[in-house]
Amino acid sequence: MKTYNVTSARNDIYNIINRIILDSEPVQITSKNGDVVMLSADDWEAIKETLNLVSIPGMKESILEGKKEPVEECKTLEDIGWNIK
């Protein structure tokens, strides 16, 4: 993870934000009051979704078990009644 002090980050914030979005790589910004980590909104949403899923009892085991099933044997969205367009 790349680290910037707050002054450097302030001077180059536009480029830092663009790199975070393009590379999907968080950046640490340090200051005398403490440090922060900046990441893209898409990455933050993905982290929240992952945390939510692993907080459901049995979900991790279910996902790992599902990975073993061959794709040909999986049900389609239509099979389970989902009509996504």
Side-chain angles (χ1 to χ4, degrees), residues 11-74:
N11 291 334
D12 200 24
I13 194 70
Y14 180 79
N15 290 319
I16 292 170
I17 290 170
N18 282 334
R19 276 195 303 272
I20 291 168
I21 292 168
L22 291 173
D23 298 340
S24 197
E25 188 69 32
V27 166
Q28 181 177 9
I29 300 174
T30 61
S31 76
K32 58 185 164 188
N33 295 326
D35 301 345
V36 298
V37 174
M38 184 186 301
L39 62 151
S40 74
D42 285 346
D43 289 338
W44 175 240
E45 289 302 318
I47 290 168
K48 290 191 319 183
E49 182 176 342
T50 300
L51 290 171
N52 180 49
L53 288 174
V54 298
S55 73
I56 300 169
M59 181 61 77
K60 178 182 172 187
E61 295 76 13
S62 175
I63 291 170
L64 292 174
E65 189 63 31
K67 283 177 60 174
K68 297 176 187 174
E69 187 170 343
V71 173
E72 315 66 64
E73 294 179 23
C74 293

